[in-house]
């Protein structure tokens, strides 16, 4: 019926607008963080191509050390997650990280045009502070993204990237160097203030945990040092997980870096705004189609391969730009590189968030390792950019190279089989220890549910529904408890039954009841 269709679209639009209103600080904060990294890249490239030799070399050193510091910061956040988690969410820790970013950006703006040792020392100090601050801020934004539902996170991600894209373009084309330096220095502080609000404001943000239950039974709002982690994370081998993520993140970083440098060439050229109608319409249409697919993917609760589908779309987009570059004869003046960069950037942000939600992995691990390897890939791409300068006639070769490298990264995307190989569960124990597992205490009800979730790789939402089903609750009760539709609940239930290889709720209850707890 036309009336029912209009009503459905009206309800959906209202829902999206409500989410945008509630999460606007998160959208703005994430956009500020993206702008910070974009402006850091463009300003570094502008100064590397400046007229004076000494600052050019110093800013080249800054760019390399910044990416290495970002790589190191991401890995430190992942490998030392247990210790970092204790203080990184506190107010003074956010303030310290923001101060490091502000000082680093300030030193970046004040690199002297003196002898190379002095200017290089300024550049190294600035890069270490700014790179480490940006890496830890990225991990913190990953933690904020972890606490949003998938459909809500999709809206936040697209809005933030659109806002950041236009803000960066306006800043680069409408502001002078001094104004850009001021914005660059204030961006770390704004990013960290907003991410702190996103993780600690219990009034404006919907989170699974809102209060701390004290021993006497009273409730206390979780703020600052009392804001603790209540999710049960999947136990994994950190080293194997880092290598697994690196196999896909490093090729994606190479592709992203090459697109970023080509995008810089295109936007800095005199013919950046020129081109035929179809040349400009094609990338805009591709971005619109990607946005539609991005939103439609999350209308269903069952999205086991969301990122894989979106990466396939990007590859098709890349394939079409291959023909565009061939016909145009030059990729330097091809506006498709702008659209490709925006689409790929959105997917590279959302992919570790999907892993965090789907496998209940700490964002410190997913965002730390993945963004660290991405930075390493961008560094390798930058070395190739300066060592092998391309000519305008080389429009087809770079696109073909990107396609080959992208397929390598796509082949190593993390799936269920790879996660089972690196998850530390009862199912991975040697056969000779199985008898010992049978004699272990069964543990509490929650521990057994968590053991089932670890063994069968349930997502965070699936774990919540598993606990309710194991208690004998029905779909209507779960719908009211979790404030989601009954259709969504039943979709999750089908996924849980499929993963556990059970056929009804009683078999699920029996499986949970017989599950031995995992060893610490």
């Amino acid at each position: 019926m036309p009336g029912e269709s209009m009503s459905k679209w009206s309800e959906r639009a209202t829902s999206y607008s409500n989410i945008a209103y509630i999460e606007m600080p998160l959208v703005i904060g994430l956009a500020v963080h993206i702008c910070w990294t974009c402006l850091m890249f463009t300003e570094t490239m502008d100064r590397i191509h400046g007229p004076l030799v000494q600052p050019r070399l110093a800013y080249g050193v800054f760019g390399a050390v910044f990416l290495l510091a970002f790589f190191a910061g991401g890995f430190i956040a992942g490998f030392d997650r247990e210790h970092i988690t204790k203080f990184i969410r506190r107010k003074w820790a956010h303030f310290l990280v923001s101060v490091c970013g502000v000082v680093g950006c300030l030193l970046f703006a004040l690199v002297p045009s003196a002898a190379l040792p002095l200017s290089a020392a300024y550049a190294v100090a600035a890069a270490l502070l700014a790179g480490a601050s940006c890496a830890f801020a990225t991990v913190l934004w990953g933690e904020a993204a972890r606490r949003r539902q998938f459909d809500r996170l999709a809206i936040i991600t697209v809005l933030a990237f659109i806002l950041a894209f236009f803000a960066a373009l306006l800043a680069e084309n409408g502001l002078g160097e001094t104004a850009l330096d001021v914005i660059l220095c204030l961006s770390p502080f704004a990013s960290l203030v907003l991410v702190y609000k996103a993780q600690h404001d219990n009034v404006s943000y919907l989170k699974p945990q809102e209060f701390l239950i004290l021993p006497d039974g009273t409730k206390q709002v979780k703020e600052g040092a009392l804001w603790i982690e209540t999710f049960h994370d999947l136990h994994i081998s950190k080293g194997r997980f880092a290598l697994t993520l690196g196999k896909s993140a490093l090729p994606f970083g190479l592709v992203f870096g090459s697109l970023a440098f080509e995008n810089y060439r295109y936007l800095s050229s005199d013919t950046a705004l020129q081109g035929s109608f179809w040349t400009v319409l094609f990338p805009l249409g591709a971005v619109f189609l990607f946005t539609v697919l991005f939103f439609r993917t999350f209308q269903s609760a069952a999205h086991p391969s969301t990122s894989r589908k979106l990466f396939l779309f990007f590859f098709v987009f890349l394939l079409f730009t291959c023909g565009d570059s061939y016909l145009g004869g030059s990729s330097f003046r091809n506006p498709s590189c702008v659209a490709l960069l925006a689409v790929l950037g959105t997917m590279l942000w959302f992919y570790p968030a999907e892993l965090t939600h789907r496998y209940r992995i700490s964002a410190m691990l997913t965002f730390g390792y993945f963004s660290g390897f991405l930075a390493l890939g961008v560094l390798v791409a930058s070395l190739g950019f300066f060592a092998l300068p391309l000519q305008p006639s080389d429009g087809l070769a770079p696109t073909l190279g990107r396609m080959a490298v992208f397929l390598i990264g796509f082949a190593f995307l993390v799936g269920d089989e790879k996660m089972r190989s690196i998850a530390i569960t009862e199912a991975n124990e040697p056969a000779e220890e199985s008898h010992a597992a049978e004699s272990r205490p069964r543990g509490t009800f929650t521990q057994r549910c968590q053991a089932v979730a670890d063994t069968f790789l349930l997502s965070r939402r699936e774990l919540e529904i598993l606990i309710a089903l194991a208690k004998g609750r029905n779909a209507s009760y779960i719908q009211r408890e979790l404030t989601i539709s009954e259709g969504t609940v039943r979709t999750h239930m089908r996924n849980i039954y499929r993963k556990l290889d059970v056929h009804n709720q009683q078999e699920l209850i029996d499986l949970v009841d017989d599950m031995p707890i995992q060893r610490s």
Side-chain angles (χ1 to χ4, degrees):
M1 292 291 183
E4 294 180 358
S5 178
M6 290 297 297
S7 176
K8 182 184 295 185
W9 281 104
S10 177
E11 292 177 0
R12 186 172 298 170
T14 303
S15 175
Y16 287 164
S17 62
N18 289 338
I19 292 175
Y21 174 76
I22 294 174
E23 301 287 6
M24 189 52 65
L26 181 59
V27 173
I28 295 175
L30 182 57
V32 168
H33 182 70
I34 298 168
C35 274
W36 175 20
T37 56
C38 292
L39 291 178
M40 186 66 72
F41 171 78
T42 55
E43 285 297 291
T44 303
M45 292 296 295
D46 286 342
R47 301 184 188 202
I48 288 176
H49 291 86
L52 299 178
V53 176
Q54 297 292 359
R56 286 168 55 187
L57 295 175
Y59 283 112
V61 172
F62 171 86
V65 177
F66 177 90
L67 291 172
L68 289 174
F70 193 102
F71 170 78
F75 264 69
I76 291 174
F79 274 104
D80 202 24
R81 177 182 68 90
E82 290 78 7
H83 295 92
I84 292 177
T85 303
K86 294 179 180 179
F87 74 89
I88 197 62
R89 299 191 184 104
R90 298 181 182 180
K91 187 178 297 185
W92 64 265
H94 285 70
F95 179 76
L96 178 63
V97 174
S98 65
V99 167
C100 289
V102 170
V103 173
C105 293
L106 185 62
L107 291 176
F108 167 82
L110 300 177
V111 170
S113 57
L116 185 59
L118 179 60
S119 59
Y122 261 80
V124 170
L128 290 175
L129 290 173
S133 175
C134 191
F136 280 106
T138 301
V139 171
L140 288 173
W141 280 112
E143 283 284 345
R146 179 192 192 189
R147 298 175 183 279
R148 271 70 188 175
Q149 296 303 322
F150 242 38
D151 54 351
R152 176 171 297 210
L153 184 58
I155 299 172
I156 293 170
T157 301
V158 171
L159 291 178
F161 270 86
I162 291 174
L163 183 61
F165 178 75
F166 284 105
L169 283 180
L170 291 174
E172 281 294 322
N173 294 286
L175 299 178
E177 184 174 327
T178 303
L180 286 174
D181 288 340
V182 172
I183 293 176
L184 197 61
C185 292
L186 294 178
S187 295
F189 180 77
S191 175
L192 270 300
V193 166
L194 289 169
V195 76
Y196 181 84
K197 177 179 175 61
Q199 295 198 17
H200 293 77
D201 188 351
N202 282 293
V203 177
S204 302
Y205 293 89
L206 303 177
K207 299 200 296 284
Q209 74 285 0
E210 302 239 346
F211 299 94
L212 187 67
I213 307 299
L214 300 180
D216 59 358
T218 60
K219 292 183 179 181
Q220 184 171 344
V221 177
K222 292 184 178 180
E223 297 286 350
L226 295 177
W227 190 79
I228 59 175
E229 182 66 76
T230 60
F231 294 124
H232 171 76
D233 291 327
L234 176 68
H235 298 290
I236 60 174
S237 170
K238 292 181 181 180
R240 295 174 66 183
F241 182 67
L243 292 176
T244 302
L245 272 187
K247 292 177 183 178
S248 59
L250 190 59
F252 289 152
L254 284 168
V255 176
F256 185 79
S258 68
L259 287 173
F261 288 114
E262 184 174 319
N263 184 54
Y264 175 81
R265 275 173 167 166
Y266 167 70
L267 293 178
S268 60
S269 65
D270 296 332
T271 59
L273 299 179
Q274 299 178 11
S276 66
F277 173 77
W278 295 107
T279 304
V280 177
L281 182 63
F282 173 74
L284 293 179
V287 171
F288 175 77
L289 179 60
F290 170 79
T291 305
V292 172
L293 292 174
F294 195 83
F295 279 111
R296 286 187 64 85
T297 306
F298 304 102
Q299 291 178 6
S300 171
H303 40 75
S305 56
T306 298
S307 295
R308 193 174 295 272
K309 295 176 183 177
L310 296 177
F311 278 121
L312 278 175
F313 169 81
F314 177 82
F315 179 77
V316 173
F317 187 13
L318 197 60
L319 184 63
F320 276 100
T321 59
C322 181
D324 194 13
S325 299
Y326 177 74
L327 295 175
S330 172
S331 62
F332 295 175
R333 299 182 180 88
N334 185 2
S336 296
C337 64
V338 182
L340 283 167
L341 188 66
V343 170
L344 184 59
T346 305
M347 291 190 301
L348 293 180
W349 167 260
F350 202 80
Y351 174 61
E354 182 190 22
L355 294 180
T356 300
H357 278 259
R358 184 178 174 188
Y359 298 114
R360 296 178 294 107
I361 304 174
S362 170
M364 294 276 186
L365 297 176
T366 54
F367 281 89
Y369 293 155
F370 191 78
S371 61
F373 274 113
L374 276 180
L376 197 59
V378 173
L379 177 60
V380 175
S382 67
L383 297 177
F385 174 81
F386 290 106
L388 301 171
L390 298 175
Q391 301 300 321
S393 59
D394 300 330
L396 183 60
T399 308
L400 291 175
R402 290 190 198 103
M403 291 174 61
V405 175
F406 183 83
L407 284 177
I408 295 174
F410 181 81
F412 287 105
L413 287 176
V414 177
D416 289 348
E417 293 301 323
K418 293 179 182 178
M419 282 305 304
R420 287 192 181 94
S421 67
I422 61 178
I424 304 175
T425 65
E426 297 288 342
N428 290 341
E429 291 184 349
E432 57 269 17
E433 296 185 4
S434 59
H435 297 292
E438 296 177 357
S439 61
R440 291 181 203 149
R442 294 189 304 132
T444 64
F445 169 77
T446 302
Q447 287 175 331
R448 295 198 303 274
C449 289
Q450 291 171 350
V452 171
D454 288 352
T455 303
F456 297 97
L457 299 180
L458 301 186
S459 67
R460 178 165 62 88
R461 177 63 86 187
E462 288 170 348
L463 174 57
E464 294 172 347
I465 295 177
L466 171 73
I467 293 175
L469 291 174
K471 290 179 178 179
R473 310 300 189 187
N474 57 21
S476 299
Y477 176 89
I478 299 173
Q479 171 198 356
R480 294 191 303 270
E481 188 73 13
L482 300 181
T483 62
I484 56 179
S485 68
E486 187 170 349
T488 301
V489 174
R490 295 195 179 280
T491 301
H492 280 302
M493 289 173 60
R494 287 194 297 269
N495 291 337
I496 293 171
Y497 289 170
R498 174 179 54 81
K499 290 182 178 181
L500 272 58
D501 194 21
V502 297
H503 303 90
N504 52 56
Q505 189 171 2
Q506 185 57 51
E507 291 183 7
L508 181 146
I509 294 174
D510 294 339
L511 188 149
V512 171
D513 190 58
D514 296 336
M515 176 63 65
I517 62 171
Q518 298 184 36
R519 294 177 300 178
S520 59

